[in-house]
Amino acid sequence: MYTASDLRKGLKVQIDGAPYIVIDFEFSKPGKGQSLYRCKMRNMITGNQLVQTYRSNDKFDEAGLEESTMQYLYNQGDEFHFMNTETYDQIMLTAEQIGDNIHFLLDNMEVEMLFFNDQAIDISLPIFVDLAVTQADPWVKGDTSGTDTKPVTLETGYELQVPPFVEEGDRLQIDTRTGAYVTRVKE
Amino acid sequence: MINLQRLHTRAAFFRVLRSFFYQHDFLEADTPVRQPVLIPETNIQPPASEDWLLQASPELCMKRLLALGAERIFQICPCFRRGERGRLHSEEFLMLEWYRREADYHQLMRDCEELIRTVSRGLPETDCFAGIDLSGRWPQLTVAEAFGRFSPVPLEQALEDDSFDEVLVEYIEPQLGLQQPCFLCDYPAEMASLARRSPADLQVAERFELYIRGVEVANGFSELADAQEQRQRFTQEIEHIKAQWGRRAAMPEQFLAALPAMGEAAGIALGVDRLLMLALNKTALEDVQTFSAEDL
């Protein structure tokens, strides 16, 4: 059980039977008045945002979330199949539930899966993943167009801007939080 | 954490504050920060220090000095409020309080205008309070007027359904002191605390809050000198504290005994770090404090 004074950015609580994460938080207290805890929260299942002001005595249940390490197996159209690495249970998530992570997901990759009341609601990938470049325009030496990046396509189909020296077949480290190029990986 | 240049600014700021009060013939007071009995206030949680408490304000001691015959006194001191942490709150902060005998809250508003103009001129920075017009008399807005102008619900309804604080924070405060500093005044009598009720309208207390850029900077009032009425209010507050927090707060007996000798007086508490933050056009206390909680 949490009280309003525990609220802070990143805290996960349960409201009306749904898990919420606090994404913005401000403490206020008008002169001689009560402590007020003003929160912006995101429903971790629907993504809907909620803005609420709480008082010191307000209480919250913990979000009751659990995490398990899962291995990504394969997809069939919109259905993405994972296996629990300890129990070998298999679980399916839809493309919508996987969201932008879809761009960085490779067969056999280990991910952390988030469960609310035994229901899988989200996955988180390693912060950095290495992916191969499947398509890149050659680097034209002496190119004076002044651009210092070029578009390439990765093995997952994801397209991004990278430095001009990147070539087809290179492996790149990508930051899965931002989707940005980090560095070229030496084999 | 603070840098060396900010340390110089802070020191200059303290010099300006102190010289203002010296020039106006105020006596600098110092009183214990650790006391056995504080003002009973439901909404303030004082940290314990062994069997005693750390003060939330030097108010009780300052008024006892007035009762002894001090005419004009000021103090800059640390105050403590448990659980108050945020952009504009810190569990330990510096308070400036000043008190005048034979004065009421109107005089304190004039003091605020002059003090803050002096700060603006006296700091080494050239763009203090950028975009805020500090000249002349600053506008006064009664709490009733502010609700009429900015609140979706009338004052009476907010009091009845206990949403006064929420409305104030959400709808009113962000509108106050944007072009000029603004005095929000004449609070409902039940929020008077230690303020005198207005002789012209017993429903309101002669209390004001100074706002600059939506930030509450100071809380001043004409002091209640009626020990009997003050005791009744404290008794109520002690019951509230018991009901809400299960804490047994003591009655400030020595203060009540001294109160009749104080006579007519007015006093004000000003958040020193908040004022410096606003002067330097910053948005968080940690931008101007020497050390924040995270640095310790």
Side-chain angles (χ1 to χ4, degrees):
Chain A
M1 197 77 128
Y2 293 113
T3 65
S5 56
D6 295 317
L7 291 169
R8 62 187 180 277
K9 234 187 225 182
L11 188 75
K12 293 163 186 148
V13 297
Q14 201 175 135
I15 295 166
D16 297 332
Y20 281 81
I21 181 166
V22 178
I23 52 177
D24 216 348
F25 171 75
E26 178 140 20
F27 175 82
S28 18
K29 190 166 191 288
K32 304 270 174 199
Q34 321 203 27
S35 295
L36 299 176
Y37 303 83
R38 305 164 75 199
C39 275
K40 192 193 265 183
M41 293 174 290
R42 192 179 62 234
N43 183 315
M44 296 176 73
I45 297 175
T46 64
N48 290 341
Q49 290 193 3
L50 174 71
V51 177
Q52 261 307 352
T53 298
Y54 297 101
R55 293 182 174 189
S56 308
N57 285 349
D58 289 328
K59 292 186 168 56
F60 306 87
D61 282 326
E62 286 172 37
L65 297 164
E66 277 173 41
E67 257 187 3
S68 297
T69 304
M70 307 287 285
Q71 189 176 37
Y72 171 56
L73 300 176
Y74 62 94
N75 77 305
Q76 259 179 331
D78 256 7
E79 300 181 351
F80 288 71
H81 295 265
F82 297 83
M83 182 182 68
N84 187 312
T85 53
E86 284 176 16
T87 63
Y88 306 109
D89 288 343
Q90 290 200 18
I91 283 179
M92 189 275 291
L93 287 183
T94 64
E96 194 188 344
Q97 284 172 308
I98 289 172
D100 284 344
N101 283 329
I102 213 162
H103 301 307
F104 315 109
L105 202 54
L106 279 183
D107 290 359
N108 301 321
M109 184 181 274
E110 287 199 347
V111 304
E112 291 300 315
M113 190 173 283
L114 197 60
F115 293 86
F116 175 67
N117 289 343
D118 296 329
Q119 176 199 349
I121 58 172
D122 196 11
I123 57 167
S124 52
L125 304 188
I127 293 172
F128 299 109
V129 298
D130 294 345
L131 296 171
V133 177
T134 52
Q135 199 194 328
D137 293 334
W139 183 22
V140 185
K141 283 217 169 84
D143 179 2
T144 54
S145 64
T147 53
D148 47 8
T149 62
K150 67 176 184 183
V152 298
T153 306
L154 305 181
E155 56 188 312
T156 56
Y158 179 61
E159 285 180 34
L160 78 164
Q161 293 289 324
V162 300
F165 56 75
V166 171
E167 294 173 343
E168 224 168 270
D170 283 348
R171 293 185 68 79
L172 306 182
Q173 191 177 75
I174 307 295
D175 185 329
T176 60
R177 297 166 301 183
T178 59
Y181 165 88
V182 181
T183 185
R184 186 163 55 166
V185 184
K186 297 262 171 5
E187 291 297 324
Chain B
M1 206 203 282
I2 202 164
N3 58 35
L4 202 55
Q5 191 207 336
R6 189 62 39 75
L7 191 66
H8 281 282
T9 304
R10 263 182 95 84
F13 177 56
F14 293 136
R15 276 199 299 277
V16 172
L17 293 177
R18 287 205 159 84
S19 52
F20 175 86
F21 288 100
Y22 299 154
Q23 275 164 19
H24 289 74
D25 205 16
F26 276 72
L27 204 57
E28 180 161 9
D30 66 305
T31 56
V33 297
R34 187 171 164 274
Q35 298 164 33
V37 185
L38 304 183
I39 298 169
E41 287 184 272
T42 311
N43 295 329
I44 292 179
Q45 301 291 321
S49 170
E50 297 187 328
D51 294 343
W52 286 19
L53 298 161
L54 297 183
Q55 67 178 2
S57 143
E59 186 167 352
L60 290 183
C61 289
M62 293 296 269
K63 287 196 209 168
R64 286 176 67 184
L65 296 178
L66 290 184
L68 280 178
E71 293 286 332
R72 285 174 294 280
I73 47 175
F74 81 99
Q75 174 164 198
I76 298 173
C77 61
C79 291
F80 304 85
R81 298 179 181 188
R82 209 147 50 81
E84 301 192 8
R85 283 181 71 173
R87 194 168 58 83
L88 299 173
H89 292 82
S90 177
E91 291 188 297
E92 173 179 347
F93 60 101
L94 270 188
M95 192 86 103
L96 162 63
E97 294 204 354
W98 71 95
Y99 292 80
R100 289 173 174 271
R101 281 182 73 142
E102 309 296 332
D104 67 8
Y105 72 149
H106 294 291
Q107 174 64 49
L108 297 176
M109 294 190 222
R110 303 293 83 80
D111 287 344
C112 285
E113 291 163 352
E114 212 185 321
L115 171 68
I116 290 174
R117 282 195 281 268
T118 306
V119 166
S120 180
R121 284 193 303 266
L123 286 180
E125 276 72 7
T126 52
D127 61 342
C128 289
F129 300 101
I132 304 283
D133 177 7
L134 298 177
S135 64
R137 287 261 178 119
W138 300 342
Q140 266 173 251
L141 194 65
T142 68
V143 169
E145 287 167 349
F147 269 76
R149 200 176 296 179
F150 302 120
S151 165
V153 298
L155 173 60
E156 295 69 26
Q157 192 190 323
L159 289 172
E160 202 178 303
D161 63 21
D162 188 26
S163 64
F164 182 92
D165 290 337
E166 279 86 351
V167 172
L168 195 63
V169 164
E170 189 81 15
Y171 298 100
I172 298 177
E173 288 190 331
Q175 305 297 330
L176 301 179
L178 302 183
Q179 277 97 43
Q180 279 177 290
C182 166
F183 297 110
L184 183 66
C185 52
D186 298 349
Y187 278 66
E190 54 264 48
M191 295 174 188
S193 184
L194 288 83
R196 175 178 82 188
R197 285 189 288 165
S198 164
D201 178 1
L202 291 176
Q203 299 304 304
V204 301
E206 291 189 347
R207 172 184 158 207
F208 71 87
E209 299 263 3
L210 169 64
Y211 282 90
I212 302 177
R213 270 193 214 115
V215 176
E216 174 205 329
V217 180
N219 173 32
F221 40 86
S222 310
E223 302 292 350
L224 176 64
D226 179 335
Q228 205 181 335
E229 186 174 347
Q230 188 68 76
R231 179 183 293 276
Q232 281 169 6
R233 292 191 198 170
F234 281 165
T235 305
Q236 259 184 13
E237 205 63 20
I238 288 171
E239 283 165 14
H240 283 162
I241 293 171
K242 185 88 178 55
Q244 187 163 346
W245 307 108
R247 184 161 57 82
R248 199 179 295 275
M251 183 67 78
E253 290 294 348
Q254 301 209 51
F255 165 74
L256 289 171
L259 199 52
M262 182 179 71
E264 189 172 337
I268 177 165
L270 180 149
V272 171
D273 297 302
R274 283 195 187 175
L275 182 60
L276 183 59
M277 175 194 93
L278 291 162
L280 300 182
N281 310 308
K282 303 289 182 186
T283 54
L285 291 186
E286 63 180 15
D287 296 336
V288 300
Q289 285 176 321
T290 40
F291 294 90
S292 68
E294 285 65 34
D295 296 324
L296 299 173

